[in-house]
Amino acid sequence: MDSGTTTQLITVGATLGGVVLTLLTNTFVEGRKLKATHRAEAQKRAADHANWLRDERVKAYAGLSTASEEAFQLVRSEFIKLPADREQIETRWRERRTELRKAHNQVALFGTEEPRKRGKELWKAARNGVNAVFAELDAGAEEVRRESLDQVLTGISDAGDRFLEACRADVQGTR
């Protein structure tokens, strides 16, 4: 082989080697960029999901708080009329109890551990308290005792306060 051919072969080999190294480097860099993009998208999705979950949690907490306040107001204003308007009051109570249960289910679905626990206590305080009032009437009481109503109202109020405190701690801790 003469020196001109050798020089051309070395030049061609070096050029091909440079092209191969450039392609390998570009492939490596593009792969890293793609991985970084996927990581950024995953982080954004996770942040969006966390924000959505926090918003749903706050809605659920507000819903149970509102439903419990409506139940409290119904007991306070209407139950004193028992047993005279029992059928109408029981119908309104069933509606409130259903709303309360649905709101509790939302808290159970989206809430954290402590608000779920306190929400269940709130729901049970309302349900069990009103059931006790109706049981008194079914047992033959002429009218609802004021002490029974006070016990129901205190139970709802105290459980509601504990629920709100747990919600406040949860929401302030997630921001």
Side-chain angles (χ1 to χ4, degrees):
M1 239 194 257
D2 65 26
S3 68
T5 305
T6 305
T7 302
Q8 287 179 345
L9 285 175
I10 291 173
T11 303
V12 168
T15 302
L16 286 175
V19 169
V20 169
L21 284 175
T22 301
L23 287 174
L24 289 174
T25 302
N26 286 344
T27 302
F28 177 73
V29 168
E30 289 300 317
R32 289 189 62 147
K33 284 181 184 178
L34 186 60
K35 286 180 185 177
T37 301
H38 286 308
R39 275 194 302 271
E41 288 173 358
Q43 288 173 340
K44 184 179 179 336
R45 279 192 308 274
D48 290 345
H49 179 33
N51 288 335
W52 171 82
L53 184 58
R54 185 186 66 231
D55 292 344
E56 290 301 312
R57 185 178 297 140
V58 169
K59 282 185 215 172
Y61 294 164
L64 183 55
S65 178
T66 301
S68 69
E69 181 61 27
E70 289 173 357
F72 181 89
Q73 293 302 327
L74 176 70
V75 171
R76 190 177 82 179
S77 64
E78 299 291 322
F79 275 49
I80 199 71
K81 299 174 188 173
L82 286 171
D85 296 333
R86 182 169 179 169
E87 187 175 315
Q88 293 171 348
I89 292 171
E90 275 191 273
T91 300
R92 284 196 295 274
W93 168 247
R94 277 194 300 277
E95 291 168 359
R96 293 290 164 262
R97 185 185 63 208
T98 300
E99 290 173 12
L100 197 59
R101 181 60 188 196
K102 286 177 183 178
H104 167 264
N105 289 344
Q106 288 295 97
V107 170
L109 182 62
F110 293 113
T112 58
E113 184 177 341
E114 190 65 18
R116 279 195 313 255
K117 177 181 164 188
R118 299 302 180 189
K120 189 171 190 173
E121 290 172 4
L122 174 55
W123 170 68
K124 283 185 172 183
R127 182 198 64 188
N128 294 345
V130 170
N131 285 348
V133 168
F134 285 133
E136 277 183 27
L137 291 174
D138 291 340
E142 296 286 324
E143 62 182 28
V144 176
R145 295 181 312 129
R146 186 69 201 167
E147 297 82 30
S148 297
L149 288 181
D150 287 345
Q151 188 175 10
V152 173
L153 294 171
T154 301
I156 293 172
S157 180
D158 291 347
D161 289 345
R162 289 188 301 272
F163 173 71
L164 287 177
E165 185 60 36
C167 294
R168 185 178 305 109
D170 176 42
V171 170
Q172 289 175 353
T174 58
R175 286 196 173 164

